[in-house]
Amino acid sequence: MGSSRTRYILALLAMIAIVAAILYAPNLPTTLLTLTNQPASQPQNQTLPNVIPHIPEISQPASSVKMEISDFKSTFKPAKTSIKIGIVTTNLNSDLTSKYIVSALNQWAAEVNGNGGIFLKSEQKKIPVQIITKDDQGSPVLAKNFHEALALQDKADAVIVVGTPSSAATAIRVLEDNEVFHIVIVDVDKTVLSLSNNYTVFLGVGTQDNIGSDFGKLAKNLGVKSIAMVRALDDNSGNMSLTFKKSIESEQIPIVMDDRISQERLFFEDIVLKIVRLKPDALVVVATPAVETRFLAAVRDIGVSPPFIFTGLAGQSPGRLTATLGRDVDGLVGYASWVPSPEFVRRNINLGPDNNVLIRVAATNGMSPQAGYAYVAAKIIEKIMEDSGSVNAKEMRSAALKLNGANTALGPFFIGKEGLQYGNTQVVAQIRMARDGTVSYAIVWPTEYRSANVMYPFPGWASRR
């Protein structure tokens, strides 16, 4: 009986031990082994010492094994498959100037890729070029967003900046902030010629300080007796008109009208009728392209014909004018850094293509000066990449700085802080349109570049009906 009670008690204790193990043991198999393999019992008057956990020694101080974020980055660099050249144009499907610019860039890309690409020392081989175009549809917001996309999403290696002075200024800020090398080939506001333009090349551009600065002398030379001025409401047009006014007033030629035109006004009839009444010898239009073309169309449609009409588009974007005015572009004048004329040759060109090459490019692109500008920009980007052996913006800048002050077909080459030394001679060119619709240019001012006499008065629009 005693042994049975003993076995019963032992079985009960074993059961309690198993239940306790299930409830409290972090590792059941280990616990069961511990319960079934108890050490021999110690004398009651002896206590076991507390077990001190073993901590391995640290052989080096913690600072010596500190990991930097760069240690976790992969050192793998994928092979470069193309050199990306970006550009944001306006109304590419309908605007002739935009089409001609992109066509000239594609012509350059075809020439480069036909020779295997641009050799990059960093890749130890030639890399083909890829033109990335985006269409802002005339929206300043889209223009800004697309330049950000070129920098951040497309990872463009270089960008060619076109557009209005306002959109160009925005593009420069975006591309500078993201350290993207870029060349500006349109007129700009002087405020963007900054010491902070580390990755900006100003190529052939004009500012409100030199566009119009000698217009008074030209008008005086022609015998102009009175001038009417109209300008858009934007700041750049206002600043540029001040340069024209100062130049005209210095020659003591009366300004019989100085009016502002808003883009929201549909036909500008009141201003045009005012011009009809005043009968000025010359009309100066200083505005954004959208306003400029619509205003000139209103002048033409009402039948007023000032003997001499200045419009910025005549020297910069004749495609926009011909699309609106057709043959009536004949005789219009405007400022430009370069136009496709065999007689217009800048002296001592030592960077980029010469005049003959650019004329061939323009001839395949509607005789557009901007097509020539784009081609020059692309060829200079090509040289900078070859000289630097890289598409890294900082290395390209270093290579470009060595070219500072070089002479191009568009005028002097400047980058970064040297942009403050900017100064390109702007010539006055007059559009000549032949009976077959062929466009050509005559340089009429200054005298050192003059290739033909000014057609003055030019054939009146009313007489062409």
Side-chain angles (χ1 to χ4, degrees):
M1 176 70 72
S3 62
S4 297
R5 183 180 296 274
T6 300
R7 285 195 300 272
Y8 174 78
I9 292 172
L10 291 174
L12 181 61
L13 290 173
M15 182 65 70
I16 292 171
I18 292 172
V19 172
I22 293 173
L23 292 175
Y24 300 108
N27 190 313
L28 183 59
T30 303
T31 305
L32 289 174
L33 287 171
T34 303
L35 290 172
T36 56
N37 294 280
Q38 291 294 328
S41 59
Q42 298 291 328
Q44 292 183 357
N45 61 350
Q46 184 175 345
T47 59
L48 290 173
N50 293 326
V51 177
I52 301 175
H54 174 70
I55 300 176
E57 291 186 8
I58 299 176
S59 58
Q60 296 180 3
S63 60
S64 66
V65 294
K66 181 180 178 181
M67 300 293 288
E68 299 290 344
I69 293 177
S70 58
D71 294 331
F72 295 96
K73 292 182 179 179
S74 172
T75 58
F76 172 74
K77 180 183 177 182
K80 191 166 186 62
T81 57
S82 67
I83 295 172
K84 299 177 181 179
I85 310 297
I87 187 169
V88 178
T89 62
T90 297
N91 298 321
L92 183 56
N93 292 330
S94 59
D95 184 79
L96 287 176
T97 298
S98 293
K99 287 183 177 180
Y100 295 148
I101 288 173
V102 173
S103 175
L105 291 179
N106 287 333
Q107 180 178 339
W108 166 75
E111 293 169 358
V112 171
N113 292 340
N115 194 34
I118 297 175
F119 181 80
L120 298 181
K121 185 177 180 181
S122 60
E123 301 290 327
Q124 287 298 303
K125 64 178 180 179
K126 289 185 175 182
I127 307 296
V129 298
Q130 174 189 357
I131 307 299
I132 301 176
T133 61
K134 297 184 184 295
D135 187 350
D136 65 18
Q137 302 171 35
S139 166
V141 175
L142 278 179
K144 178 177 182 295
N145 292 342
F146 282 145
H147 280 103
E148 289 176 341
L150 285 174
L152 301 174
Q153 297 175 14
D154 299 302
K155 304 294 184 183
D157 299 301
V159 173
I160 297 174
V161 177
V162 296
T164 65
S166 176
S167 66
T170 300
I172 290 169
R173 286 192 291 269
V174 169
L175 298 171
E176 282 289 343
D177 288 345
N178 291 283
E179 298 187 356
V180 179
F181 194 87
H182 53 287
I183 293 184
V184 183
I185 59 172
V186 292
D187 295 338
V188 296
D189 192 296
K190 189 181 178 183
T191 57
V192 305
L193 302 180
S194 167
L195 290 173
S196 62
N197 295 130
N198 292 319
Y199 307 103
T200 308
V201 172
F202 299 104
L203 186 60
V205 303
T207 71
Q208 64 265 34
D209 279 4
N210 64 3
I211 297 179
S213 61
D214 58 352
F215 186 82
K217 292 181 180 179
L218 170 61
K220 187 77 170 181
N221 184 267
L222 293 175
V224 171
K225 303 299 183 184
S226 63
I227 296 176
M229 290 188 61
V230 291
R231 54 189 170 86
L233 298 177
D234 64 289
D235 291 340
N236 185 73
S237 296
N239 292 335
M240 195 176 297
S241 69
L242 292 176
T243 302
F244 274 91
K245 288 176 65 176
K246 182 178 179 181
S247 173
I248 293 167
E249 290 170 349
S250 69
E251 300 298 331
Q252 300 181 332
I253 301 174
I255 298 176
V256 297
M257 187 183 85
D258 181 11
D259 214 331
R260 295 179 296 176
I261 49 178
S262 168
Q263 189 169 359
E264 286 73 32
R265 298 170 64 178
L266 189 57
F267 296 111
F268 322 106
E269 287 95 339
D270 55 341
I271 299 178
V272 176
L273 291 174
K274 192 174 179 181
I275 295 172
V276 172
R277 185 175 70 255
L278 293 170
K279 294 183 173 60
D281 287 342
L283 171 63
V284 174
V285 184
V286 183
T288 57
V291 175
E292 206 163 350
T293 51
R294 290 164 56 204
F295 179 75
L296 289 171
V299 172
R300 187 270 312 269
D301 293 343
I302 289 179
V304 59
S305 295
F308 193 67
I309 298 180
F310 168 87
T311 168
L313 291 177
Q316 298 295 328
S317 304
R320 290 179 180 143
L321 282 179
T322 55
T324 303
L325 301 176
R327 284 187 47 79
D328 288 332
V329 302
D330 187 34
L332 298 180
V333 299
Y335 279 97
S337 291
W338 175 85
V339 290
S341 168
E343 292 84 12
F344 181 33
V345 180
R346 289 189 184 274
R347 300 174 181 85
N348 304 318
I349 294 176
N350 55 11
L351 178 63
D354 63 21
N355 196 52
N356 292 330
V357 172
L358 292 185
I359 289 176
R360 289 196 294 270
V361 172
T364 61
N365 293 288
M367 294 303 286
S368 169
Q370 285 290 323
Y373 286 27
Y375 189 85
V376 172
K379 291 296 290 184
I380 290 177
I381 287 174
E382 177 184 351
K383 176 172 175 54
I384 289 171
M385 288 181 175
E386 287 179 339
D387 287 355
S388 66
S390 167
V391 292
N392 176 276
K394 290 183 173 62
E395 294 177 9
M396 289 174 65
R397 168 180 163 76
S398 297
L401 283 172
K402 298 177 183 178
L403 302 175
N404 255 352
N407 293 317
T408 77
L410 309 185
F413 173 95
F414 293 115
I415 180 175
K417 65 180 182 179
E418 302 300 331
L420 296 178
Q421 300 178 19
Y422 155 85
N424 281 325
T425 302
Q426 300 288 304
V427 301
V428 179
Q430 188 169 44
I431 298 178
R432 305 287 174 84
M433 178 169 276
R435 291 185 179 276
D436 62 0
T438 302
V439 172
S440 62
Y441 284 90
I443 310 301
V444 299
W445 192 263
T447 55
E448 62 182 293
Y449 288 111
R450 186 165 59 194
S451 62
N453 291 326
V454 184
M455 185 166 52
Y456 175 78
F458 79 88
W461 284 339
S463 65
R464 303 180 193 183
R465 297 291 178 265

